[in-house]
Amino acid sequence: MHVNNKCVPLQRKIEKRRDMSMLIKPIAYQRLLDMKQTEQGIKLIKEFFQANLSTELRLRRVTAPLFVLKGLGINDDLNGVERPVTFPIKDLGDARAEVVHSLAKWKRLTLAEYHIEPGYGVYTDMNAIRADEELDNLHSLYVDQWDWEEVITREQRTLTFLKGVVNRIYAAILRTEYLVCETYPQIKPFLPEKIHFIHAEDLLRMYPDKSPKEREDAICQAYGAVFIIGIGGKLSNGEKHDGRAPDYDDWSTVAENGQAGLNGDILIWYPVLGRSFELSSMGIRVDKESLLRQLKIEGKEERLQLYFHQQLLNDKLPLSIGGGIGQSRLCMVLLHKGHIGEIQASIWPDDMREDCRQLGMTLI
């Protein structure tokens, strides 16, 4: 595994700011591309990766909404506490719209509307505003993803199938890294050839005294690239590894390995910041049985009356697998940047901008 030593901090400093955001200050950070090269690199990565993702998973591009009507159950609820940005629509009697958090449910409705056959799917550019994000090197108010969704059969709702899709996505990431390094020789590859799979419960057993974030750091540093299975359900210690809404990913079905979970996250070890780094959240989606089970577990059974949930319960939606892959995050990693604000235009605290400027991280 090759690492660009100029980008590897011997140590890192994390500051807790008065505005409650966290900033990692990589020691001896060196910007490898100027702003013009960075913009060109972003374009290169986005065009090349989405073409590879489309080919790997047989996806066709569709146009996505920036906002959806409130009260239909279409918006992504994330962990259930994040507030969506809302506004009234004058010509609809002031009915309220919500800026999307992601398109996890909307994509499944689109598969049905387009009559997509098993083995094929859709992808789109998802742009979201998450006003409750705690701002740091990785988290912004603005979120951009490749959201994708593929129709599957009942027989493909297995952990083996999920792992196969993860491997294909990771292969597309590796090909994109190779192209970037060929285009900009000052950038050296660091991603491992293979991604390691581990269930969140096994990770807990390996590091019982660590927090979920510390466990992610430890396993990613050990393997370089990891897919953590089973995000959303409670583990043996009574806690979740991380939150996941109960009505899109299937995190409660017991898979062939005897553990619950048909979903997970792709993470890598990012030497520029000396920490684990999530690139994608994905999974096999709920069927009727797992939807009912997970809504009961989370005490959200009132959602069963919403439009999306009624469509699923009445067999109007296909079985599917899907996820989101961070566009700015992937560009940040492959261009060896220290802050996501070097990739995308957003709003940052003035003192964070100044700290980043002094470190050589010029925020757009």
Side-chain angles (χ1 to χ4, degrees):
M1 180 171 65
H2 303 286
V3 178
N4 183 353
N5 292 327
K6 293 182 179 179
C7 285
V8 180
L10 298 178
Q11 57 181 328
R12 63 179 186 170
K13 181 179 179 183
I14 304 177
E15 286 195 354
K16 185 74 173 179
R17 315 181 66 83
R18 62 179 178 271
D19 57 11
M20 300 305 289
S21 62
M22 300 284 285
L23 179 67
I24 299 174
K25 294 185 173 183
I27 306 301
Y29 175 75
Q30 182 175 345
R31 186 177 66 173
L32 300 180
L33 303 178
D34 61 26
M35 294 189 74
K36 178 181 177 181
Q37 291 172 316
T38 298
E39 293 287 5
Q40 292 171 337
I42 292 170
K43 181 175 183 291
L44 177 74
I45 291 169
K46 288 189 175 184
E47 290 179 349
F48 184 81
F49 178 78
Q50 72 180 11
N52 273 260
L53 179 69
S54 174
T55 301
E56 281 285 355
L57 302 183
R58 293 189 288 188
L59 309 174
R60 75 192 220 198
R61 191 187 183 283
V62 295
T63 300
L66 178 59
F67 40 81
V68 294
L69 280 174
K70 183 178 180 179
L72 297 179
I74 297 176
N75 204 356
D76 181 357
D77 298 294
L78 300 176
N79 291 313
V81 296
E82 295 87 351
R83 299 167 300 170
V85 175
T86 65
F87 59 91
I89 305 172
K90 180 180 177 181
D91 276 1
L92 293 182
D94 280 344
R96 298 196 71 83
E98 295 180 342
V99 176
V100 297
H101 277 149
S102 84
L103 298 170
K105 301 170 192 170
W106 177 88
K107 291 176 297 181
R108 200 164 175 186
L109 293 166
T110 301
L111 292 178
E113 182 179 358
Y114 282 48
H115 305 289
I116 304 294
E117 296 293 324
Y120 296 88
V122 299
Y123 79 94
T124 191
D125 292 304
M126 191 284 297
N127 296 284
I129 299 174
R130 297 183 183 174
D132 289 338
E133 285 284 9
E134 292 188 1
L135 306 180
D136 58 22
N137 303 64
L138 277 66
H139 296 89
S140 170
L141 300 175
Y142 169 61
V143 178
D144 55 340
Q145 296 181 166
W146 288 286
D147 260 13
W148 63 274
E149 200 83 9
E150 178 182 332
V151 178
I152 62 174
T153 64
R154 173 67 61 178
E155 293 71 30
Q156 289 173 322
R157 298 189 80 257
T158 66
L159 187 59
T160 299
F161 181 79
L162 173 64
K163 289 181 177 180
V165 173
V166 171
N167 280 323
R168 287 152 68 188
I169 292 173
Y170 188 69
I173 293 174
L174 287 180
R175 286 195 294 272
T176 309
E177 182 190 44
Y178 176 80
L179 175 64
V180 170
C181 295
E182 285 287 295
T183 305
Y184 304 104
Q186 65 269 43
I187 296 178
K188 305 302 180 185
F190 70 93
L191 294 174
E193 292 183 4
K194 294 183 179 180
I195 188 168
H196 178 73
F197 292 89
I198 188 169
H199 193 280
E201 181 64 40
D202 294 327
L203 190 58
L204 172 62
R205 291 171 185 162
M206 288 178 65
Y207 307 106
D209 298 326
K210 295 183 182 294
S211 69
K213 180 65 186 66
E214 291 170 338
R215 296 197 291 270
E216 290 178 357
D217 284 346
I219 195 69
C220 286
Q221 190 167 20
Y223 288 96
V226 180
F227 185 76
I228 300 177
I229 304 164
I231 307 294
K234 288 185 178 181
L235 305 176
S236 60
N237 64 353
E239 300 175 358
K240 299 177 181 180
H241 181 83
D242 199 359
R244 195 66 58 89
D247 42 15
Y248 55 94
D249 279 359
D250 187 341
W251 42 256
S252 64
T253 293
V254 177
E256 60 264 32
N257 65 348
Q259 294 172 315
L262 291 174
N263 73 337
D265 293 339
I266 296 176
L267 299 100
I268 62 162
W269 177 254
Y270 190 41
V272 174
L273 297 179
R275 59 159 289 168
S276 58
F277 193 115
E278 181 185 323
L279 289 177
S280 176
S281 171
M282 58 175 287
I284 291 173
R285 306 309 198 186
V286 290
D287 57 8
K288 288 193 293 186
E289 292 75 19
S290 53
L291 173 67
L292 292 169
R293 180 170 58 249
Q294 291 177 184
L295 288 177
K296 183 175 181 180
I297 291 172
E298 296 296 308
K300 303 289 185 180
E301 292 170 286
E302 74 279 359
R303 294 188 187 179
L304 291 173
Q305 304 307 313
L306 298 175
Y307 173 76
F308 171 83
H309 303 74
Q310 284 293 306
Q311 291 292 102
L312 178 55
L313 292 174
N314 290 317
D315 298 316
K316 299 293 180 64
L317 303 180
L319 300 173
S320 67
I321 183 173
I325 303 165
Q327 294 190 15
S328 290
R329 284 196 173 196
L330 183 63
C331 292
M332 178 182 169
V333 164
L334 297 185
L335 298 178
H336 294 201
K337 297 295 185 177
H339 196 289
I340 200 166
E342 296 179 86
I343 299 296
Q344 57 161 248
S346 187
I347 297 174
W348 309 99
D350 289 341
D351 49 356
M352 180 182 286
R353 278 190 176 274
E354 178 57 24
D355 287 346
C356 288
R357 186 192 65 79
Q358 293 180 10
L359 290 165
M361 299 186 296
T362 303
L363 306 189
I364 297 173

